[in-house]
Amino acid sequence: MATSAFLDFTKATETSAAADRFVPLDQSVLDTLRKCSTSTLATQLFKHGLRQQFLVGVRPVGAVKEPFAGEAFTMRFIPAREDLETLEGLAEPDNLQWAAVEQIKPGQVMVIDSRNDISAASAGDMLITRAMHRGALGFITDGAFRDGYVLEELDIPTYARTITATTRLTSFHVADLQVPIGCADVAVYPGDIVVGDADGVIIVPRGLAAEIAEDALAQEEREAYLHTRVHKGESLIGVYPPNDKTLKEYAEWKAGQ
């Protein structure tokens, strides 16, 4: 393939992929996904060939009061360099970390690529509090946060691998905003749907969100019924996963509700 033709093909492919990532979503889709557990969504995504979308090892800081589902706003870290990471530099207008929390929109979720590095904090209570007041639904890193005792009390769910007092400046430089990143070894594109609950966080590709939402909710409702039967002492055989007889019984039960 000629170089120009290859470049045209590549550009067209990237444009198509970008369009898929920003397909419009009704709020009803996000509301439905918020009602589904990350475990249920993992199963639905597996049906579509996505084997690992859960951010393994990234756990809630404190209790998660309400599950959430919102668009990803991404931030990417690279290793720090001593001549660039200074306390004075925090006040500079090109500080992308500050810019991120001032740009995030209501309903979005901050997702940070810290390269699975917990040697320093990805953020602390000041930035996360500001994001909360900007309307962010969550704040997530595959690294560490500072001020865990404060984060536990905020009305915004936060997720990290651990808590540290070490400032970001010792280890990280914010290189990019709103670019594709890896968080806990999961690819996250701006506009992907981030769903969080008490177990953790899962990434739903935007182009699949509407397609899996209703199936996920149906699975959630069906398994709630099946759980009651297992909890009463029934064998898993024929109940979970349900055979035709159990599915018929479930349909009859649901019709009677």
Side-chain angles (χ1 to χ4, degrees):
M1 182 182 293
T3 301
S4 60
F6 175 76
L7 292 175
D8 289 343
F9 170 78
T10 302
K11 183 177 180 180
T13 302
E14 291 176 347
T15 301
S16 175
D20 289 343
R21 291 200 298 272
F22 289 98
V23 60
L25 282 182
D26 289 336
Q27 181 61 41
S28 62
V29 173
L30 298 176
D31 292 341
T32 299
L33 291 173
R34 182 170 49 82
K35 297 175 184 176
C36 303
S37 70
T38 52
S39 295
T40 292
L41 292 172
T43 299
Q44 289 297 322
L45 289 168
F46 181 78
K47 291 180 180 179
H48 288 267
L50 282 80
R51 304 181 72 86
Q52 180 54 280
Q53 294 296 110
F54 187 78
L55 305 187
V56 176
V58 175
R59 299 190 55 79
V61 179
V64 177
K65 299 173 184 177
E66 294 288 342
F68 64 87
E71 297 181 351
F73 186 108
T74 64
M75 181 188 300
R76 183 175 72 91
F77 286 177
I78 62 174
R81 205 174 72 186
E82 287 78 4
D83 61 328
L84 296 176
E85 307 311 313
T86 65
L87 289 173
E88 293 76 17
L90 294 178
E92 295 297 325
D94 60 351
N95 181 345
L96 288 182
Q97 192 176 35
W98 264 233
V101 297
E102 295 299 337
Q103 292 174 16
I104 196 166
K105 297 177 182 178
Q108 292 184 324
V109 181
M110 185 71 73
V111 185
I112 303 174
D113 174 1
S114 294
R115 303 179 297 113
N116 290 310
D117 187 343
I118 61 172
S119 61
S122 301
D125 68 314
M126 290 293 189
L127 275 77
I128 296 172
T129 298
R130 177 56 179 159
M132 178 185 72
H133 286 290
R134 291 275 303 166
L137 295 181
F139 217 99
I140 300 158
T141 181
D142 59 2
F145 284 140
R146 300 176 91 179
D147 313 310
Y149 66 98
V150 179
L151 303 186
E152 289 179 1
E153 302 300 322
L154 293 180
D155 289 328
I156 180 175
T158 53
Y159 296 78
R161 291 193 183 279
T162 191
I163 299 298
T164 181
T166 309
T167 175
R168 171 187 66 79
L169 301 174
T170 65
S171 295
F172 304 122
H173 174 79
V174 184
D176 286 304
L177 304 178
Q178 290 293 68
V179 296
I181 63 170
C183 187
D185 298 319
V186 175
V188 185
Y189 289 81
D192 277 348
I193 305 307
V194 184
V195 182
D197 61 13
D199 283 340
V201 175
I202 195 163
I203 306 299
V204 179
R206 189 182 185 91
L208 281 176
E211 186 173 352
I212 72 168
E214 291 301 328
D215 288 344
L217 184 59
Q219 177 187 335
E220 198 77 37
E221 294 171 346
R222 183 172 61 251
E223 291 191 355
Y225 162 80
L226 298 176
H227 183 266
T228 63
R229 292 182 52 165
V230 173
H231 197 52
K232 290 177 181 178
E234 289 192 52
S235 168
L236 291 176
I237 307 303
V239 174
Y240 187 78
N243 58 20
D244 290 343
K245 177 177 179 291
T246 299
L247 288 173
K248 181 180 178 181
E249 291 167 349
Y250 169 62
E252 292 171 349
W253 174 84
K254 188 174 181 180
Q257 297 304 301

